[in-house]
């Protein structure tokens, strides 16, 4: 009798962008599974338009919004921008929620993003902060 698994056999792999060498294989390390998708999401958030050669659409206006006043309106625009950039350019992730808290003391936004990886039911939560860097 044939059996099959309802689990996805698809494995996501990306290169470690720190270009660290594996001590045994003497090759660049790989990020596998959820870690690969998490790193891709972080890279998309930090990418500006026109930074990727020959693909000017990849990126977001998040850096431009960080120079706007620190208020609820800008936080709402940041939520929308974060959701759009992940949904448009990362097909392996589906954004479930983006929560932004204003940190007036440090002049930055604390972001908590919840997303699911395709063919997985476990939600992944990442936390980071957005602040101005000149």
């Amino acid at each position: 009798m044939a059996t099959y698994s309802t689990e996805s056999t698809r494995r996501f792999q990306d290169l470690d962008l720190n270009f660290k060498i594996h001590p045994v294989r003497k090759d660049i390390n790989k990020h596998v599974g959820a870690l690969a998708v998490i790193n891709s999401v972080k890279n998309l958030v930090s990418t500006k338009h026109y930074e990727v050669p020959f693909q000017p659409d990849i990126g977001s206006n998040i850096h431009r919004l960080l120079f706007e006043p620190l208020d609820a309106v800008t936080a709402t625009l940041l939520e929308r921008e974060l959701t759009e950039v992940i949904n448009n350019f990362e097909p392996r992730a589906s954004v479930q929620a983006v929560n932004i808290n204003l940190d007036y003391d440090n002049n930055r936004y604390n972001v908590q993003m919840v997303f699911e990886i395709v063919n997985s039911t476990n939600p992944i939560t990442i936390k980071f902060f957005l602040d101005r860097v000149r």
Side-chain angles (χ1 to χ4, degrees), residues 60-76:
S60 65
N61 292 322
I62 292 170
H63 295 283
R64 182 183 56 82
L65 290 172
L66 294 177
F67 287 92
E68 295 296 324
L70 188 72
D71 59 2
V73 174
T74 307
T76 304

Side-chain angles (χ1 to χ4, degrees), residues 6-111:
T6 56
E7 289 269 331
S8 173
T9 58
R10 192 171 182 187
R11 267 181 58 175
F12 299 120
Q13 297 182 19
D14 284 342
L15 290 176
D16 180 8
L17 295 181
N18 292 329
F19 296 107
K20 293 182 181 175
I21 303 296
H22 191 275
V24 176
R25 292 189 325 251
K26 304 295 183 201
D27 197 6
I28 297 175
N29 284 331
K30 294 185 290 188
H31 291 289
V32 180
L35 186 59
V37 178
I38 290 169
N39 285 335
S40 178
V41 166
K42 288 179 182 178
N43 286 335
L44 275 173
V45 168
S46 65
T47 302
K48 300 176 191 174
H49 287 293
Y50 299 100
E51 277 189 342
V52 180
F54 306 109
Q55 295 179 343
D57 293 335
I58 293 179
S60 65
N61 292 322
I62 292 170
H63 295 283
R64 182 183 56 82
L65 290 172
L66 294 177
F67 287 92
E68 295 296 324
L70 188 72
D71 59 2
V73 174
T74 307
T76 304
L77 292 173
L78 281 171
E79 285 180 23
R80 185 179 306 145
E81 192 71 28
L82 286 167
T83 304
E84 283 181 14
V85 72
I86 301 306
N87 287 338
N88 289 341
F89 300 114
E90 182 51 75
R92 303 175 291 183
S94 173
V95 176
Q96 302 301 316
V98 177
N99 299 321
I100 297 181
N101 296 320
L102 304 173
D103 185 0
Y104 292 107
D105 293 335
N106 295 317
N107 199 22
R108 66 182 182 187
Y109 300 93
N110 294 322
V111 180

Side-chain angles (χ1 to χ4, degrees), residues 106-125:
N106 295 317
N107 199 22
R108 66 182 182 187
Y109 300 93
N110 294 322
V111 180
Q112 178 180 358
M113 183 183 295
V114 180
F115 62 92
E116 288 183 353
I117 297 177
V118 174
N119 297 332
S120 175
T121 57
N122 300 333
I124 295 175
T125 302

